[in-house]
Amino acid sequence: LRRAQDAAEASRPYSERFNSVLASLAASVGNSESAPLLLRGTGKQDVHLLVVMTAERGLCGGFNSNIAKLARNHAAKLKEDGKQLKIVTIGKKGRDAIKRELGEYFIEHVDLSEFKTLKYTNAQSIAKVLLARFNDSEYDVATIFYSKFVNVVTQIPTAQQIIPATFEDHSAASTDTTVYDYEPDEETILDDLLPRGVATQIFSALLENGASEQGARMSAMDNATRNAGDMIDKLTIEFNRSRQAVITNELIEIISGAEAL
């Protein structure tokens, strides 16, 4: 848990600063036709790609089910709005959780079970697949589902749109009075940085998921240990009472027999 938590927390400053730079560039470019496709989008929102990130193993409480529930609810809302769905799963537990309801929309599965420690290269390979499908016009909007780590007790299921790019601090960047000169121009820089931004967001989500999974597992195992201890105490008391009742009955029988003689 400590290693996973340190990795997740260490990635946040880089990810936040990277997004801030992209937000500043995006604000200067705006919605012009020369803006990169990853920024302005296809102009449609007909086909949505859901990337559901969960664990490869269970025994971690509601971690996997909470992410799966968020993805199912999001998918249900999209279907009500008449949108088309495509789903990429990362982690077999999430795939198993939504397979019954959404299995017909599965297009790909990413297996990370052989990797004990997730690295940026893993995120790059996933981003490469998503970008290739986007460039082939297979979908219009991509959203990742993961669990944001807060502490051992709290993990927040999160849905984050990564294609087209969105930035939380976009408005703050647009009001920044600092003037920057970019070389080459903003569109060229964004062409190079936006794909990296997708990989960075995926890597950050994987790290957050890793810390959340370990936190949820530690909490679940602690609860299981506590419940087992309570059950042992309860059964011990019940056993002692039964044993005492048997001894009392034997004494009564002995006393009654002696008195009868």
Side-chain angles (χ1 to χ4, degrees), residues 149-165:
F149 179 81
V150 179
N151 51 50
V152 176
V153 179
T154 306
Q155 301 89 32
I156 304 175
T158 304
Q160 180 181 352
Q161 179 180 313
I162 58 174
I163 298 175

Side-chain angles (χ1 to χ4, degrees), residues 26-244:
S28 63
V29 171
N31 295 323
S32 65
E33 295 182 358
S34 61
L37 189 63
L38 284 175
L39 179 62
R40 57 185 169 86
T42 60
K44 302 179 296 181
Q45 292 189 348
D46 297 334
V47 184
H48 286 252
L49 178 68
L50 310 185
V51 184
V52 184
M53 300 181 176
T54 54
E56 297 288 349
R57 295 179 296 275
L59 297 178
C60 48
F63 168 76
N64 292 309
S65 59
N66 289 337
I67 299 175
K69 180 180 179 181
L70 179 63
R72 282 197 301 267
N73 292 340
H74 190 81
K77 186 176 183 303
L78 290 175
K79 288 195 291 184
E80 287 179 2
D81 295 338
K83 308 297 184 182
Q84 298 181 37
L85 293 181
K86 293 184 179 181
I87 298 177
V88 172
T89 54
I90 302 173
K92 65 180 182 180
K93 288 300 178 181
R95 184 179 180 85
D96 295 340
I98 63 176
K99 185 176 182 178
R100 177 179 297 179
E101 298 179 24
L102 302 172
E104 60 183 295
Y105 304 108
F106 288 175
I107 61 172
E108 191 160 345
H109 175 68
V110 179
D111 186 1
L112 298 177
S113 58
E114 62 182 32
F115 300 100
K116 293 184 178 179
T117 302
L118 295 178
K119 299 181 179 179
Y120 186 69
T121 52
N122 301 117
Q124 280 182 314
S125 62
I126 297 172
K128 185 177 180 180
V129 172
L130 299 186
L131 293 171
R133 291 184 177 274
F134 181 70
N135 292 331
D136 292 339
S137 301
E138 293 188 20
Y139 64 90
D140 302 312
V141 180
T143 305
I144 57 176
F145 296 85
Y146 65 99
S147 189
K148 186 174 181 61
F149 179 81
V150 179
N151 51 50
V152 176
V153 179
T154 306
Q155 301 89 32
I156 304 175
T158 304
Q160 180 181 352
Q161 179 180 313
I162 58 174
I163 298 175
T166 58
F167 309 101
E168 293 180 357
D169 57 345
H170 185 88
S171 59
S174 62
T175 58
D176 189 1
T177 57
T178 306
V179 178
Y180 295 95
D181 288 331
Y182 294 101
E183 181 65 33
D185 58 274
E186 291 90 336
E187 288 85 353
T188 305
I189 297 176
L190 283 172
D191 274 332
D192 182 67
L193 289 186
L194 284 172
R196 300 189 189 188
V198 173
T200 299
Q201 288 175 312
I202 292 174
F203 184 51
S204 179
L206 289 174
L207 293 178
E208 293 285 346
N209 245 17
S212 296
E213 177 189 351
Q214 297 304 327
R217 179 170 288 111
M218 176 176 286
S219 180
M221 293 300 99
D222 182 63
N223 290 334
T225 302
R226 188 182 297 109
N227 292 337
D230 293 341
M231 182 176 292
I232 289 172
D233 293 340
K234 181 179 179 180
L235 292 175
T236 300
I237 293 174
E238 185 176 346
F239 169 76
N240 290 336
R241 287 177 178 173
S242 300
R243 179 172 173 271
Q244 186 63 44

